[in-house]
Amino acid sequence: MTTTEFDATTYKTTTRAQWQAAAEAWDRWQPTIEEWLAAATETMLDCARIGTGSRVLDVAAGAGGQTLAAARRVGHTGRVLATDIAPAILEYADARLRNAGYSHVEIAEMDGEHLEVAPGAFAALTGMLRALAPGGRIAAVSYSTPDRNGFFSVPISVIRAHAQLPPPLPGQPGPFSLGTQEVAEQALLDAGFVDVESVLVPSPLRLPSATDCRLFEQDSFGALHQMLAGLDESGRAAAWAEIDVRLREFETPEGFVGPCEMVVVCGSKPAA
Protein backbone atom coordinates (compact mmCIF):
# COMPACT_ATOMS: atom_id res chain seq x y z
CA MET A 1 0.00 0.00 0.00
CA THR A 2 1.28 3.46 -0.90
CA THR A 3 0.73 6.45 1.35
CA THR A 4 1.32 10.06 0.41
CA GLU A 5 2.38 12.63 2.96
CA PHE A 6 0.22 15.71 3.19
CA ASP A 7 1.83 18.73 1.51
CA ALA A 8 0.38 21.88 3.06
CA THR A 9 1.89 24.20 0.44
CA THR A 10 0.47 22.20 -2.47
CA TYR A 11 -2.88 21.94 -0.73
CA LYS A 12 -3.11 25.72 -0.34
CA THR A 13 -2.01 26.35 -3.93
CA THR A 14 -4.58 23.87 -5.18
CA THR A 15 -7.31 25.36 -3.02
CA ARG A 16 -6.59 28.84 -4.35
CA ALA A 17 -6.72 27.55 -7.93
CA GLN A 18 -10.02 25.75 -7.25
CA TRP A 19 -11.68 28.94 -6.03
CA GLN A 20 -10.21 30.98 -8.83
CA ALA A 21 -11.79 28.57 -11.32
CA ALA A 22 -15.11 28.33 -9.44
CA ALA A 23 -15.55 32.08 -8.87
CA GLU A 24 -17.96 32.74 -11.74
CA ALA A 25 -20.13 29.73 -10.91
CA TRP A 26 -20.18 30.53 -7.18
CA ASP A 27 -21.38 34.03 -8.04
CA ARG A 28 -23.98 32.71 -10.47
CA TRP A 29 -25.37 30.31 -7.86
CA GLN A 30 -25.24 32.93 -5.10
CA PRO A 31 -29.03 33.21 -4.57
CA THR A 32 -29.18 29.45 -3.97
CA ILE A 33 -26.14 29.59 -1.68
CA GLU A 34 -27.49 32.46 0.40
CA GLU A 35 -30.84 30.73 0.90
CA TRP A 36 -29.10 27.45 1.78
CA LEU A 37 -26.71 29.05 4.31
CA ALA A 38 -29.10 31.67 5.73
CA ALA A 39 -29.79 29.90 9.03
CA ALA A 40 -26.13 29.07 9.65
CA THR A 41 -25.08 32.62 8.74
CA GLU A 42 -27.53 34.26 11.14
CA THR A 43 -26.53 31.83 13.89
CA MET A 44 -22.86 32.66 13.28
CA LEU A 45 -23.53 36.41 13.43
CA ASP A 46 -25.54 35.98 16.63
CA CYS A 47 -22.78 33.86 18.17
CA ALA A 48 -20.18 36.49 17.22
CA ARG A 49 -22.45 39.15 18.79
CA ILE A 50 -22.35 41.29 15.67
CA GLY A 51 -24.47 44.42 15.96
CA THR A 52 -24.57 48.10 15.05
CA GLY A 53 -21.09 49.58 14.98
CA SER A 54 -19.19 46.28 15.13
CA ARG A 55 -15.87 45.87 13.32
CA VAL A 56 -15.94 42.59 11.42
CA LEU A 57 -13.18 40.62 9.75
CA ASP A 58 -14.68 38.08 7.33
CA VAL A 59 -12.11 35.42 6.38
CA ALA A 60 -12.83 33.21 3.35
CA ALA A 61 -15.56 35.62 2.31
CA GLY A 62 -16.14 34.01 -1.07
CA ALA A 63 -18.56 35.85 -3.32
CA GLY A 64 -19.77 38.00 -0.44
CA GLY A 65 -23.09 36.56 0.70
CA GLN A 66 -22.16 36.37 4.38
CA THR A 67 -20.26 39.64 4.10
CA LEU A 68 -23.51 41.32 3.02
CA ALA A 69 -25.30 39.84 6.02
CA ALA A 70 -22.61 41.21 8.34
CA ALA A 71 -22.67 44.62 6.61
CA ARG A 72 -26.42 44.90 7.14
CA ARG A 73 -25.98 44.23 10.84
CA VAL A 74 -23.12 46.62 11.56
CA GLY A 75 -24.66 49.52 9.63
CA HIS A 76 -22.70 52.50 8.37
CA THR A 77 -21.17 53.15 11.79
CA GLY A 78 -19.42 49.78 11.64
CA ARG A 79 -16.77 48.31 9.37
CA VAL A 80 -16.38 45.02 7.51
CA LEU A 81 -13.17 43.78 5.93
CA ALA A 82 -13.84 40.83 3.60
CA THR A 83 -10.82 38.66 2.74
CA ASP A 84 -10.23 35.59 0.63
CA ILE A 85 -7.27 33.71 -0.82
CA ALA A 86 -8.75 33.83 -4.34
CA PRO A 87 -8.85 37.32 -5.93
CA ALA A 88 -11.25 36.26 -8.70
CA ILE A 89 -14.03 35.46 -6.26
CA LEU A 90 -13.39 38.70 -4.36
CA GLU A 91 -14.09 40.65 -7.55
CA TYR A 92 -17.64 39.28 -7.50
CA ALA A 93 -17.96 40.06 -3.79
CA ASP A 94 -16.78 43.63 -4.42
CA ALA A 95 -19.31 44.14 -7.22
CA ARG A 96 -22.15 42.79 -5.08
CA LEU A 97 -21.23 45.02 -2.14
CA ARG A 98 -20.84 48.13 -4.31
CA ASN A 99 -24.21 47.48 -5.95
CA ALA A 100 -25.75 47.25 -2.48
CA GLY A 101 -24.26 50.63 -1.57
CA TYR A 102 -22.11 49.37 1.28
CA SER A 103 -19.25 51.86 1.37
CA HIS A 104 -18.27 50.68 4.86
CA VAL A 105 -17.03 47.35 3.49
CA GLU A 106 -13.49 46.79 2.21
CA ILE A 107 -12.11 43.90 0.16
CA ALA A 108 -8.60 42.46 0.43
CA GLU A 109 -6.86 39.36 -0.91
CA MET A 110 -5.38 37.57 2.12
CA ASP A 111 -4.39 34.10 3.25
CA GLY A 112 -6.45 33.23 6.31
CA GLU A 113 -3.33 31.86 7.99
CA HIS A 114 -1.43 35.12 7.43
CA LEU A 115 -3.82 37.99 8.04
CA GLU A 116 -2.12 41.30 7.34
CA VAL A 117 -4.19 43.40 9.69
CA ALA A 118 -3.26 45.42 12.73
CA PRO A 119 -3.16 43.33 15.93
CA GLY A 120 -6.23 43.89 18.06
CA ALA A 121 -8.07 45.68 15.27
CA PHE A 122 -11.28 43.69 15.13
CA ALA A 123 -14.15 42.17 17.03
CA ALA A 124 -14.37 39.62 14.31
CA LEU A 125 -16.52 37.07 12.59
CA THR A 126 -13.63 34.84 11.76
CA GLY A 127 -9.90 35.28 11.96
CA MET A 128 -6.81 34.69 13.96
CA LEU A 129 -6.48 35.38 17.66
CA ARG A 130 -3.87 38.04 16.88
CA ALA A 131 -6.35 40.05 14.79
CA LEU A 132 -8.97 40.25 17.52
CA ALA A 133 -9.35 42.99 20.06
CA PRO A 134 -9.26 41.72 23.68
CA GLY A 135 -12.66 40.24 24.40
CA GLY A 136 -13.42 40.08 20.67
CA ARG A 137 -15.39 37.16 19.30
CA ILE A 138 -14.61 34.52 16.71
CA ALA A 139 -17.33 32.50 14.98
CA ALA A 140 -17.06 29.97 12.17
CA VAL A 141 -19.26 27.61 10.17
CA SER A 142 -18.24 24.11 9.11
CA TYR A 143 -20.00 20.99 7.87
CA SER A 144 -20.78 18.46 10.57
CA THR A 145 -20.23 14.76 9.88
CA PRO A 146 -20.48 13.04 6.46
CA ASP A 147 -23.54 11.00 7.47
CA ARG A 148 -25.46 14.25 8.06
CA ASN A 149 -24.33 15.87 4.80
CA GLY A 150 -25.40 13.43 2.14
CA PHE A 151 -25.76 16.06 -0.57
CA PHE A 152 -21.93 16.42 -0.49
CA SER A 153 -20.64 13.18 1.02
CA VAL A 154 -22.42 11.07 -1.62
CA PRO A 155 -20.60 12.78 -4.54
CA ILE A 156 -17.31 12.54 -2.63
CA SER A 157 -17.74 8.81 -2.04
CA VAL A 158 -18.70 8.19 -5.69
CA ILE A 159 -15.69 10.10 -6.97
CA ARG A 160 -13.32 8.35 -4.54
CA ALA A 161 -14.53 5.01 -5.87
CA HIS A 162 -14.24 5.97 -9.55
CA ALA A 163 -10.84 7.65 -9.15
CA GLN A 164 -9.58 4.97 -6.73
CA LEU A 165 -8.52 7.63 -4.24
CA PRO A 166 -7.29 6.66 -0.78
CA PRO A 167 -9.11 7.91 2.31
CA PRO A 168 -7.91 11.25 3.71
CA LEU A 169 -4.88 11.15 5.98
CA PRO A 170 -5.50 11.56 9.74
CA GLY A 171 -5.61 15.26 10.58
CA GLN A 172 -5.73 16.29 6.92
CA PRO A 173 -7.91 19.37 6.29
CA GLY A 174 -11.12 18.77 4.41
CA PRO A 175 -14.85 19.57 4.41
CA PHE A 176 -15.60 17.35 7.40
CA SER A 177 -12.39 17.78 9.41
CA LEU A 178 -14.18 19.90 12.06
CA GLY A 179 -17.32 17.80 11.84
CA THR A 180 -18.13 17.23 15.51
CA GLN A 181 -18.82 19.86 18.10
CA GLU A 182 -16.06 18.43 20.28
CA VAL A 183 -13.43 18.71 17.54
CA ALA A 184 -14.53 22.20 16.49
CA GLU A 185 -14.54 23.47 20.07
CA GLN A 186 -11.16 21.91 20.83
CA ALA A 187 -9.64 23.64 17.80
CA LEU A 188 -10.57 27.03 19.28
CA LEU A 189 -9.49 26.07 22.77
CA ASP A 190 -6.11 24.90 21.45
CA ALA A 191 -5.68 28.26 19.69
CA GLY A 192 -6.16 30.12 22.97
CA PHE A 193 -9.81 31.15 22.84
CA VAL A 194 -12.09 31.06 25.89
CA ASP A 195 -15.86 30.84 26.44
CA VAL A 196 -16.00 28.39 23.54
CA GLU A 197 -19.38 26.97 22.53
CA SER A 198 -21.02 25.45 19.49
CA VAL A 199 -24.41 24.62 18.02
CA LEU A 200 -25.65 22.36 15.24
CA VAL A 201 -27.73 24.07 12.56
CA PRO A 202 -29.89 22.04 10.14
CA SER A 203 -29.17 23.47 6.68
CA PRO A 204 -30.92 21.36 4.03
CA LEU A 205 -30.10 22.22 0.43
CA ARG A 206 -33.39 22.67 -1.44
CA LEU A 207 -33.47 22.56 -5.23
CA PRO A 208 -36.02 21.49 -7.86
CA SER A 209 -34.33 18.13 -8.54
CA ALA A 210 -31.30 15.92 -7.93
CA THR A 211 -30.00 16.95 -11.33
CA ASP A 212 -30.03 20.58 -10.21
CA CYS A 213 -27.92 19.59 -7.20
CA ARG A 214 -25.50 17.74 -9.43
CA LEU A 215 -25.26 20.79 -11.70
CA PHE A 216 -24.69 23.06 -8.70
CA GLU A 217 -21.86 20.90 -7.40
CA GLN A 218 -20.42 20.26 -10.86
CA ASP A 219 -20.36 24.01 -11.52
CA SER A 220 -19.25 25.30 -8.15
CA PHE A 221 -17.38 22.71 -6.07
CA GLY A 222 -13.81 22.90 -7.30
CA ALA A 223 -12.59 20.24 -4.87
CA LEU A 224 -14.68 17.63 -6.68
CA HIS A 225 -13.02 18.51 -10.00
CA GLN A 226 -9.63 18.20 -8.35
CA MET A 227 -10.55 14.72 -7.13
CA LEU A 228 -11.58 13.80 -10.70
CA ALA A 229 -8.38 15.12 -12.27
CA GLY A 230 -6.85 11.65 -12.68
CA LEU A 231 -9.74 10.36 -14.81
CA ASP A 232 -10.19 10.83 -18.54
CA GLU A 233 -13.27 12.54 -19.97
CA SER A 234 -15.35 9.36 -20.14
CA GLY A 235 -14.36 8.45 -16.58
CA ARG A 236 -15.40 11.85 -15.29
CA ALA A 237 -18.69 11.64 -17.18
CA ALA A 238 -19.40 8.22 -15.65
CA ALA A 239 -18.76 9.54 -12.16
CA TRP A 240 -21.10 12.51 -12.62
CA ALA A 241 -23.76 10.22 -14.08
CA GLU A 242 -23.62 7.99 -11.01
CA ILE A 243 -23.73 11.02 -8.73
CA ASP A 244 -26.90 12.18 -10.51
CA VAL A 245 -28.52 8.81 -9.88
CA ARG A 246 -27.36 8.50 -6.27
CA LEU A 247 -28.61 11.97 -5.36
CA ARG A 248 -32.13 11.01 -6.41
CA GLU A 249 -32.56 9.28 -3.04
CA PHE A 250 -33.04 12.77 -1.63
CA GLU A 251 -35.86 13.76 -3.97
CA THR A 252 -39.27 14.32 -2.37
CA PRO A 253 -42.70 15.33 -3.70
CA GLU A 254 -41.65 18.92 -2.90
CA GLY A 255 -38.35 18.63 -4.79
CA PHE A 256 -34.78 17.82 -3.87
CA VAL A 257 -33.93 18.16 -0.16
CA GLY A 258 -30.25 17.41 0.33
CA PRO A 259 -29.28 16.54 3.91
CA CYS A 260 -26.90 19.12 5.34
CA GLU A 261 -25.98 20.10 8.88
CA MET A 262 -23.57 22.82 9.94
CA VAL A 263 -21.53 23.29 13.09
CA VAL A 264 -21.31 26.92 14.24
CA VAL A 265 -18.51 27.31 16.76
CA CYS A 266 -17.53 30.48 18.58
CA GLY A 267 -15.37 31.81 21.36
CA SER A 268 -13.67 34.91 22.74
CA LYS A 269 -10.18 36.28 22.89
CA PRO A 270 -9.17 36.57 26.55
CA ALA A 271 -9.64 40.08 27.92
CA ALA A 272 -6.48 42.08 28.47
Side-chain angles (χ1 to χ4, degrees):
M1 181 177 68
T2 301
T3 59
T4 303
E5 292 186 5
F6 176 67
D7 185 331
T9 300
T10 300
Y11 178 84
K12 187 173 293 185
T13 300
T14 300
T15 299
R16 183 180 186 276
Q18 289 169 358
W19 285 109
Q20 286 285 94
E24 183 278 330
W26 202 252
D27 177 71
R28 179 161 33 87
W29 285 92
Q30 196 63 30
T32 295
I33 294 166
E34 289 186 24
E35 181 179 358
W36 163 40
L37 297 179
T41 296
E42 292 305 314
T43 301
M44 179 177 65
L45 294 170
D46 289 341
C47 194
R49 301 172 189 166
I50 301 302
T52 302
S54 293
R55 296 166 62 84
V56 176
L57 174 62
D58 187 1
V59 178
Q66 292 174 323
T67 308
L68 274 169
R72 285 192 290 267
R73 285 212 183 190
V74 305
H76 287 277
T77 60
R79 179 193 173 197
V80 180
L81 174 59
T83 71
D84 201 282
I85 197 173
I89 205 165
L90 281 176
E91 292 178 8
Y92 289 103
D94 189 47
R96 178 171 286 109
L97 292 160
R98 298 288 80 79
N99 289 338
Y102 289 136
S103 58
H104 59 297
V105 181
E106 298 176 56
I107 302 291
E109 178 188 349
M110 286 189 200
D111 182 339
E113 291 186 314
H114 303 284
L115 294 170
E116 298 175 4
V117 298
F122 290 92
L125 263 184
T126 304
M128 296 297 181
L129 189 69
R130 184 189 69 85
L132 286 167
R137 298 282 289 173
I138 180 172
V141 177
S142 177
Y143 294 113
S144 68
T145 53
D147 59 300
R148 293 179 177 270
N149 287 278
F151 91 98
F152 194 22
S153 61
V154 165
I156 287 175
S157 66
V158 169
I159 291 172
R160 283 197 181 281
H162 278 257
Q164 298 183 351
L165 296 174
L169 298 171
Q172 181 175 337
F176 307 115
S177 58
L178 297 176
T180 69
Q181 289 178 273
E182 293 76 14
V183 170
E185 289 177 10
Q186 193 61 50
L188 292 194
L189 290 168
D190 290 346
F193 291 95
V194 298
D195 301 325
V196 173
E197 58 185 327
S198 64
V199 62
L200 298 174
V201 182
S203 305
L205 175 62
R206 301 181 186 276
L207 288 165
S209 70
T211 295
D212 288 292
C213 182
R214 189 262 301 165
L215 288 170
F216 171 44
E217 296 188 76
Q218 193 170 7
D219 271 355
S220 309
F221 286 49
L224 299 180
H225 288 279
Q226 182 65 26
M227 292 174 67
L228 287 163
L231 295 176
D232 59 18
E233 185 175 349
S234 63
R236 293 193 294 272
W240 286 117
E242 182 177 343
I243 289 168
D244 202 304
V245 171
R246 290 279 304 278
L247 287 174
R248 292 176 195 170
E249 67 179 280
F250 305 126
E251 288 190 329
T252 74
E254 290 74 40
F256 177 84
V257 183
C260 177
E261 181 184 73
M262 299 294 187
V263 179
V264 176
V265 60
C266 54
S268 299
K269 181 173 181 174

